[in-house]
Amino acid sequence: MNPVRPRQTWGRKFQVAFRGIGVAMTTERSFRVHLPLALAVALLAAWFQIDPIRWCLLLLCVAGVLSAELLNSAIERLAQAIDAERVESDTIEPRDNARIRDSLDIASGGVLVFSILAAAVGLILFLPELLSAIGLA
C-alpha cells in the first residue's frame, strides 16, 4: 500500500491528474508558454490540411513537450518541499543542495531535448508548406 496516497478508483485517478494539469496551467509560466505554441501548431496544421500521419507526429511532439514540462514542474515542487523539510526556514533554495540542483537541471534538460526535437519535427513538416505558401518552393 502506498503511504502517500491510499488506493484510488480510476475516476479519482483521472480527477487528480486533471487537477495537476490545472495547477500547472495556473501556476507554471513555462507550461503557459507551451500551451499557446501548441495551439499555434494545431492551427498551422489545420490551415495546411496536413495528412493524418503528420498530425500524429505533431500531436506526439506537443504531448511530449507538455508532459516533459509537467514532470519537470513536479520535480521542482518536490525539490522545494524536500528542501523546506530539511531546514527550519524557507531561506535555503533547492539549488544550495548539489543533488537537488542536479535533479532539477537534468529535468530541465529533458524538457529542452524534447522541445528541440519537437521544433525540428515542426520544421521538417511545415517548412515545405511555408515555403510553398510564400511562393519560394
Side-chain angles (χ1 to χ4, degrees):
M1 170 144 320
N2 185 346
V4 176
R5 198 176 277 172
R7 250 187 127 150
Q8 299 176 2
T9 64
W10 281 104
R12 177 71 180 137
K13 288 179 183 188
F14 279 102
Q15 184 181 22
V16 168
F18 282 118
R19 180 190 169 278
I21 293 169
V23 169
M25 287 173 56
T26 58
T27 63
E28 296 297 325
R29 186 175 58 130
S30 294
F31 195 76
R32 287 194 309 266
V33 167
H34 285 126
L35 285 176
L37 291 173
L39 178 62
V41 165
L43 291 173
L44 201 56
W47 184 45
F48 287 132
Q49 299 176 346
I50 65 169
D51 61 82
I53 297 296
R54 293 197 296 171
W55 263 110
C56 289
L57 289 171
L58 289 173
L59 291 174
L60 282 170
C61 286
V62 166
V65 169
L66 294 176
S67 295
E69 191 58 58
L70 288 168
L71 291 171
N72 183 48
S73 297
I75 291 169
E76 287 174 354
R77 294 213 179 189
L78 203 57
Q80 291 165 353
I82 290 168
D83 212 42
E85 292 263 331
R86 188 173 57 85
V87 293
E88 292 289 321
S89 70
D90 289 335
T91 57
I92 295 178
E93 290 291 315
R95 298 234 174 240
D96 294 334
N97 179 310
R99 286 182 285 187
I100 292 175
R101 181 195 64 227
D102 290 348
S103 296
L104 293 169
D105 292 350
I106 289 167
S108 292
V111 174
L112 179 62
V113 166
F114 213 120
S115 296
I116 291 169
L117 168 82
V121 169
L123 280 174
I124 291 167
L125 296 180
F126 286 132
L127 194 57
E129 301 284 351
L130 289 169
L131 292 175
S132 177
I134 60 174
L136 294 177

